[in-house]
Amino acid sequence: MSTHGFKLYDREKRYAIEQASLAPYACLSAAAEEQRIWPEKPHPYRTAFQRDRDRIIHSRAFRRLKHKRQVFLTSTGDHYRTRLTHTMEVAQISRTIARALGLNEDLTEAIALGHDLGHTPFGHLGEYVLNDILLGKMSDHPGMPAGNLGGFKHNYQSLRIVDLLELKYPNPGLNLTHPVREGILKHTRLKRTAISWPELHSEGLHFEQDSPSTLEAQVVAIADEIAQRTHDLEDGLRAGLVSIAEVRDLELVRRAEEDGGFCVTDFENAYEYRNRLTHRLINILVGDIIATTLGSLSVQGKSTGDWCPFRKTLVAFSEGIDPLQNELNKFIYKNIIFREPVKRFDEQAREILVTLYQNYANHPEDLPQNIYAHMRDGGAQSEELIPRLICDHIAGMSDLFAIHEFEKLIDRHDIRTSVDANTLNKLKSG
Ligand code: MG
């Protein structure tokens, strides 16, 4: 169709643009069109990866990221990252790298927006608690499962959400393409031994290798690390957990100052220094990855069309930068993430999550109607799935929802708890 010389950029036109403009090692949308768990007709004017990205943005799990904590309670400042703003930063960094390398931006964006959908309430702690429950490590607590049921990891949970738990289309899940599903699963280290999960569609996930088979997915995995390193450092400085003098001992910070031509004495306040530092650190790390990856690709010596799947990780930091970003990472874990002010309410958050689990095990009728009906009508198969279904529900909660649900249930069933009202109020205002 053509009107006044303008022509619709339909799906075929988009495919032609990708074919003509992307690098030979990029993952093209056209090839992924039929790579879905459930076959479906292509969209008239969106490519397969554009469609995947849009489905993630319109999912309920995506909207809940807004109220899930990254590291800090947002009650202590509007500018601390949440899972949602973290996700958006990962998408931005991924797209910058993808565009510079001639990769498929739509694919990187879809993977980035979906990578953390499986994160639990209460940051890292929530993941540890659900993992303990589903490994049978809490079997001495009443109502807890006794055996190893496969554990819990947020990247598996992200895949479980997009494959199964979102209910919006004729089939279960979002029915994303395999390259997006694989990228979501492998954005963080994959432990193949842990793959004992029920209802996992292994097709298209390339379980024969730990690393993602597309460069677009490898980009997201490393962009996630850059976003974490830089925003956790900035948030830690803002919270006063680390001082500017301390971070200036890090070699990467010294490089950032040198690279940006600034010094701490150039600024009137810490705020301006923090901003300049974060900006420059991201720039150094992103630039390093682009240059290193191009170098690695140039020695691959493959012909056009012979690139995917990639058997090993090519998107990486250089040998010069890698130890420095590792040093920064260790500094952040030691001085920010594992510090007392961040972990202050961990014990209470743990008790909230354990109490929620025990309550749902004792009173499954308190679960949402669709989960309860699935348990009640599922027979023996459902028996084995009950702990997983309960953890699916808890993992999906935002911090705030988990606290409200806890308050409601302890009241309804007269449950004794050591979590006092004052703590709940502090947690709630996050
Ligand atoms: Mg992440």
Side-chain angles (χ1 to χ4, degrees):
M1 189 182 73
S2 176
T3 313
H4 304 299
F6 295 100
K7 197 168 172 291
L8 177 72
Y9 276 60
D10 62 9
R11 191 185 70 254
E12 292 304 327
K13 172 109 176 160
R14 283 275 157 220
Y15 287 161
I17 291 171
E18 282 189 6
Q19 184 82 45
S21 64
L22 297 185
Y25 42 75
C27 180
L28 301 181
S29 308
E33 200 64 74
E34 292 179 1
Q35 297 179 26
R36 297 184 190 275
I37 296 169
W38 311 94
E40 57 181 276
K41 267 174 42 184
H43 191 272
Y45 51 85
R46 288 180 300 163
T47 67
F49 297 143
Q50 285 179 310
R51 213 174 180 189
D52 287 357
R53 175 201 57 204
D54 299 347
R55 286 179 181 183
I56 291 166
I57 288 176
H58 288 278
S59 69
R60 297 201 325 166
F62 184 76
R63 293 199 290 280
R64 292 196 299 263
L65 294 175
K66 176 182 163 198
H67 288 300
K68 288 190 176 187
R69 179 194 315 174
Q70 181 70 21
V71 173
F72 292 92
L73 282 173
T74 47
S75 59
T76 42
D78 283 341
H79 299 123
Y80 291 123
R81 270 72 174 185
T82 64
R83 286 276 168 216
L84 183 61
T85 60
H86 160 74
T87 294
M88 292 171 80
E89 288 184 28
V90 175
Q92 179 274 311
I93 292 169
S94 299
R95 289 180 57 195
T96 298
I97 299 172
R99 189 179 287 203
L101 292 173
L103 294 171
N104 195 323
E105 265 185 85
D106 291 331
L107 174 55
T108 49
E109 189 180 16
I111 296 168
L113 293 177
H115 84 285
D116 270 352
L117 292 178
H119 259 298
T120 60
F122 306 126
H124 298 283
L125 176 93
E127 185 169 26
Y128 300 148
V129 173
L130 296 187
N131 192 41
D132 284 351
I133 293 173
L134 290 176
L135 285 176
K137 286 185 176 175
M138 301 190 73
S139 54
D140 53 336
H141 291 57
M144 289 292 180
N148 180 350
L149 299 171
F152 181 97
K153 201 150 191 318
H154 77 271
N155 52 329
Y156 283 90
Q157 192 66 15
S158 297
L159 185 69
R160 196 165 155 78
I161 287 169
V162 300
D163 276 5
L164 197 69
L165 300 180
E166 281 286 328
L167 300 173
K168 191 162 181 162
Y169 303 100
N171 295 304
L174 302 177
N175 201 26
L176 305 182
T177 59
H178 298 329
V180 174
R181 296 174 58 242
E182 188 205 16
I184 287 174
L185 178 69
K186 296 183 183 174
H187 80 267
T188 187
R189 233 165 277 128
L190 178 69
K191 284 185 192 153
R192 270 184 289 174
T193 48
I195 301 168
S196 59
W197 286 23
E199 304 180 60
L200 183 74
H201 295 275
S202 59
E203 192 189 345
L205 298 177
H206 291 279
F207 277 143
E208 70 280 4
Q209 62 184 71
D210 291 346
S211 58
S213 67
T214 66
L215 292 185
E216 284 82 355
Q218 295 185 14
V219 164
V220 176
I222 209 157
D224 189 24
E225 292 181 18
I226 295 178
Q228 283 174 44
R229 310 272 191 277
T230 52
H231 65 46
D232 288 351
L233 184 69
E234 188 187 347
D235 284 356
L237 277 164
R238 175 181 293 115
L241 287 181
V242 289
S243 67
I244 288 176
E246 282 175 283
V247 305
R248 292 188 78 218
D249 280 341
L250 293 161
E251 177 60 27
L252 199 57
V253 170
R254 283 199 290 271
R255 293 260 183 114
E257 288 187 2
E258 203 179 289
D259 195 54
F262 65 87
C263 182
V264 67
T265 50
D266 295 342
F267 304 103
E268 284 188 4
N269 54 49
Y271 161 73
E272 287 179 43
Y273 177 79
R274 272 198 321 258
N275 287 348
R276 285 293 296 278
L277 177 64
T278 309
H279 155 241
R280 191 48 63 174
L281 282 173
I282 295 174
N283 212 49
I284 289 176
L285 296 172
V286 167
D288 181 71
I289 286 164
I290 292 168
T292 309
T293 306
L294 280 176
S296 302
L297 283 163
S298 70
V299 296
Q300 285 292 296
K302 289 185 175 181
S303 59
T304 304
D306 187 27
W307 293 85
C308 203
F310 284 87
R311 301 280 178 216
K312 59 179 183 180
T313 303
L314 291 183
V315 183
F317 295 110
S318 67
E319 284 180 13
I321 287 290
D322 195 44
L324 307 189
Q325 67 84 26
N326 256 326
E327 181 193 29
L328 172 62
N329 191 38
K330 281 183 190 150
F331 176 87
I332 288 167
Y333 269 91
K334 180 168 175 241
N335 299 292
I336 299 172
I337 295 176
F338 289 152
R339 281 278 295 284
E340 193 46 44
V342 171
K343 294 162 66 65
R344 182 166 42 146
F345 297 117
D346 274 11
E347 273 318 300
Q348 291 87 344
R350 176 179 280 275
E351 188 174 333
I352 290 171
L353 295 172
V354 168
T355 305
L356 285 174
Y357 184 94
Q358 290 171 317
N359 183 79
Y360 292 132
N362 283 335
H363 302 281
E365 69 281 5
D366 286 339
L367 285 159
Q369 192 52 36
N370 62 322
I371 301 177
Y372 180 47
H374 185 52
M375 279 183 185
R376 200 187 43 205
D377 306 333
Q381 192 215 356
S382 177
E383 273 302 303
E384 293 167 24
L385 274 177
I386 285 174
R388 177 72 56 191
L389 293 173
I390 294 174
C391 287
D392 283 340
H393 181 50
I394 296 174
M397 294 178 181
S398 64
D399 296 21
L400 197 57
F401 184 93
I403 296 161
H404 284 310
E405 185 74 353
F406 172 76
E407 286 184 306
K408 191 171 83 184
L409 296 178
I410 57 171
D411 193 39
R412 179 180 300 166
H413 299 292
D414 206 15
I415 298 167
R416 292 232 310 263
T417 173
S418 64
V419 185
D420 60 42
N422 191 28
T423 305
L424 284 173
N425 281 336
K426 281 191 178 141
L427 280 166
K428 246 192 272 183
S429 54

